[in-house]
Amino acid sequence: MIFLDAAATTPIRREVLDAMWPYLSGEFGNPSSHHSLGEAAASALAEARTGVAKVLNCRAGEVTFTSGGTEADNLAVKGIALARRAADPSLGRVVISAIEHPAVEESARYLQRVHGFDVDVVPVDNQGLVTVAALRGVLRPETALVSIMYANNEIGTVQPVAELAAVAREHGVPFHTDAVQAAGWLPVDVKALGVDAMSISGHKLGAPKGSGVLFTRGRLRVEPLVHGGGQERGRRSGTENVAGAVALSTALGISNAEQQEQAARVSLLRDAFINRVLQAVPDSMLTGHRSLRLPSVASFCFPGTSGESVLLELERLGVVCSSGSACAAGSDAPSPVLVALGIAPETAQTSVRFSFTSAVTDTELELAAAAVETAVGRVRNLAPQ
Ligand code: PLP
């Protein structure tokens, strides 16, 4: 099987499993316990936090471990907006982009529905980019938070996060970015990016599902969503997932160390794959930005098919990928991300996303491109004329 669905999830790396194993077995303590097992767990957690902080170029106290990217996004969007409005009741608006992951989009809609916030949606251009001018156009004195993703999970478009964060800063508005897809492929130095909050998920990086991180800058107040024993400096109560934190920290460290080399290598493979598919499949269309895209994502529409049928054919041919985002899988509605790019709903239904781990090879992608040609041809031949 050729696995081209790494944006959905990745296998746990061997080194990560080795690093986390002690905290699932012999060193199973609760970090809050006042005995040696507890202290060993607390120090593993502290070390994991320092490891994450080193990669993000922030302080350990600015790192909150969560149950994944979704929780990190929820905590950022709801937690920052609610804390800011509590301090200043005039701050009743949040800004998101038109192509956010549901973890951000639905958090903003929750603020609207339950807490009476207004949600301002920044449009994207036909390649999925948010421009500085578009962001300026929606910022208001009442804006409590801007949340714009670093890289999109369906089309791979990478936003000019540092420029967008600078615009928010000029207006005194905190800037959150969902870096769940970007981490491992793009630099995640929060100082260089100038972001105030950033979400990362472990299972996109070779750590297990159910591990995540939210960075929040310095004294930025965050209203907690989960109340209890006050763990994670009161930002996220609940007995800590020590093994998950160790795993995420290890995976982030490894992928960050390899980032430049892998990004350069895989970008070349991605471009060759894109060119092969565009040449081999008549009327195929790349979605997202041609160059400002994740090294690991190639996404297409194949008019005259349905993405789901192409997916099934590809699986028969030994290639596993996705017809849009896994999180929206099972829904028949066209992808809101593709619709936001101006793609017609019937074309959006024909989308297929290929996403790579850093272990991907040119041979695999050559075989995959040939399989795409066959699969699309079969589906088109079967379609009613
Ligand atoms: N944000 C983006 C951009 C994602 O792609 C995903 C997962 O696909 C998430 C957030 C959610 O992360 P998790 O699966 O860790 O909850």
Side-chain angles (χ1 to χ4, degrees), residues 7-8 68-70 73 101 103 149 151 153 178 180-181 201 203-204 211 327:
T70 298
D73 283 343
H101 186 275
M149 71 200 318
N153 45 302
D178 174 339
V180 167
Q181 294 292 343
S201 170
H203 74 106
K204 315 287 184 179
S211 57
C327 310

